[in-house]
Amino acid sequence: QAQLVESGGGLVQPGGSLRLSCAASGFTLDDYDIAWFRQAPGKGREGVSCRASSDGGTKYADSVKGRFTISRDDAKNTVYLQMNDVKPEDTAVYYCATRRRGRICFMTPTLYGYWGQGTQVTVSS
């Protein structure tokens, strides 16, 4: 019943922008912390950004700070990852994930129980 559906991935040139969406069904995102992770070929799952449901506080990996922004649209029950000034090293499969409301958010994959299917982002000329 609970489901996360990701969209928005694709091919983009370096310096371009992309917005990933994560639509939730079967539950209300307002009650959950949400995070974006990514996994490049041959590498582990890396935390990109997270947002705490308790106070709306956000965190970003140093590699994306200043370029990516996480946001939530309560009316659409959807979370977004706005990706600006993308770089080739941003190429990866991106996943959204949620966990029951915590006081603060963490970018630790094992803390999250619900996951989207992943969407491929490829940054190339």
Side-chain angles (χ1 to χ4, degrees):
Q1 293 181 350
Q3 189 176 29
L4 295 171
V5 179
E6 302 177 20
S7 62
L11 177 65
V12 62
Q13 294 183 342
S17 297
L18 204 65
R19 189 177 74 165
L20 306 183
S21 299
C22 179
S25 61
F27 67 101
T28 301
L29 281 176
D30 185 53
D31 298 327
Y32 290 79
D33 294 347
I34 190 160
W36 287 94
F37 297 89
R38 66 186 182 186
Q39 188 166 16
K43 296 185 178 180
R45 198 158 294 186
E46 174 192 19
V48 176
S49 181
C50 66
R51 185 185 187 278
S53 62
S54 59
D55 61 0
T58 59
K59 295 180 180 179
Y60 296 91
D62 289 341
S63 59
V64 307
K65 193 172 299 182
R67 299 187 297 118
F68 293 6
T69 303
I70 189 171
S71 63
R72 188 184 73 209
D73 187 331
D74 291 341
K76 297 181 178 180
N77 204 28
T78 299
V79 170
Y80 303 96
L81 183 68
Q82 179 66 45
M83 306 168 61
N84 295 329
D85 191 25
V86 296
K87 303 176 180 180
E89 52 263 41
D90 294 323
T91 296
V93 177
Y94 283 72
Y95 301 88
C96 66
T98 64
R99 69 166 186 158
R100 195 67 178 176
R101 179 180 297 172
R103 295 180 63 185
I104 58 175
C105 70
F106 297 91
M107 290 187 286
T108 305
T110 55
L111 295 178
Y112 292 82
Y114 295 95
W115 292 80
Q117 80 286 354
T119 184
Q120 176 71 49
V121 173
T122 302
V123 183
S124 176
S125 298

